[in-house]
Amino acid sequence: MENFHDLLVNRRSIRKYTDELLSPDEVKLILEAALMSPAGKRQNPWQFVVVEDKEVLEKLSYAKEHGSGPIKGAALAVVVICDPRVDTWVEDGSIASMLIQAQCADLGLGSCWIHIRNRYTANGQSSEDAVRSILDIPYEWQVLSIISIGHKNEERKPFDTDKLQWEKVHIGKW
Ligand SMILES: Cc1cc2nc3c(=O)[nH]c(=O)nc-3n(C[C@H](O)[C@H](O)[C@H](O)COP(=O)(O)O)c2cc1C
C-alpha cells in the first residue's frame, strides 16, 4: 500500500478466503501490530490466541448464530481476549483488533472482525462461553472479537471519498 490514506480507502471487510496459508513473516507482522497497540495507561489488558487448525476454526465459526461464518474459511484467526479488571479493556481490545486488520490490509490480506462480546450462539449460549470452552480460556477473561484472516477470494469496492457522511462532522460545536 502506498500510503495510509490509500490503505483506509481500500480496506474493506473480506469474508471469503482462498486456501493459501499465511507465511510465518506475515503472521509475525500481524502479531507485532497487535502487541504495539496503544492501551490506556499502557496496561495492555489483551491476550491473543492464534488459531490455524481447520477443525478449531470450524468450531469457532459456530460461536454466533449469525455473522461468524467467515472464520470457517479463514487461513488463520486471532482471538482477542481482555482482562475486564482494566476499565478501558473494550477500547484497548478494539484498537488491537483494528490494528490487526490494518496490518492485514497493508499486507494485501483480507480480514473481518467477528464480534463475540454480548453475542449468542444459535442455541442461546453466550458466544464468549462458547469460545472459552473451545480454546480453554479461563472464565475471568473476556472474549471481545475474533479476526478472521486470509488471502482474498472476493473483491470489494474501495470507499468513494466523494460519498462520505460529512453531515456527521460538526465544526466548532454540535
Ligand atoms: C465492532 C464490529 C463488529 C463486527 N462484527 C462483525 C461480525 O460479527 N460479522 C461480520 O461478518 N462482520 C462484522 N463486522 C464487520 C462490519 O460488518 C463491517 O466493518 C461494516 O459492514 C463495514 O464494512 P467494511 O468493513 O467493508 O467497510 C464488525 C465490525 C465491527 C467494527
Side-chain angles (χ1 to χ4, degrees), residues 138-155:
Y139 185 74
E140 57 274 19
W141 291 86
Q142 302 247 192
V143 185
L144 179 77
S145 66
I146 300 177
I147 311 301
S148 59
I149 303 169
H151 290 268
K152 296 178 189 178
N153 202 10
E154 66 172 326
E155 283 300 322

Side-chain angles (χ1 to χ4, degrees), residues 3 11 31 40 45 48 63 84-86 91 98 111 115 145 158 162:
N3 62 48
R11 181 220 57 83
L31 296 174
F48 306 98
R85 290 172 301 176
V86 173
E91 292 83 355
M98 196 59 238
S111 73
H115 201 61
S145 66
D162 291 332

Side-chain angles (χ1 to χ4, degrees), residues 35-101:
L35 294 168
M36 288 191 283
S37 302
K41 296 185 194 158
R42 244 294 163 241
Q43 291 189 88
N44 300 0
W46 17 251
Q47 304 268 332
F48 306 98
V49 177
V50 182
V51 181
E52 221 178 6
D53 183 288
K54 282 280 166 207
E55 278 178 30
V56 180
L57 288 170
E58 181 167 359
K59 283 185 194 164
L60 290 172
S61 76
Y62 299 112
K64 287 208 301 183
E65 182 170 14
H66 303 290
S68 48
I71 302 169
K72 188 173 176 181
L76 180 140
V78 180
V79 183
V80 180
I81 298 149
C82 288
D83 181 347
R85 290 172 301 176
V86 173
D87 65 353
T88 53
W89 75 268
V90 174
E91 292 83 355
D92 298 335
S94 298
I95 291 166
S97 301
M98 196 59 238
L99 289 187
I100 290 168
Q101 289 203 271

Side-chain angles (χ1 to χ4, degrees), residues 11-13 15 64 67-68 70 112-115 156 159:
R11 181 220 57 83
R12 300 299 313 276
S13 295
R15 300 180 174 85
K64 287 208 301 183
S68 48
C112 189
W113 178 318
I114 308 296
H115 201 61
R156 298 286 316 277
F159 279 93

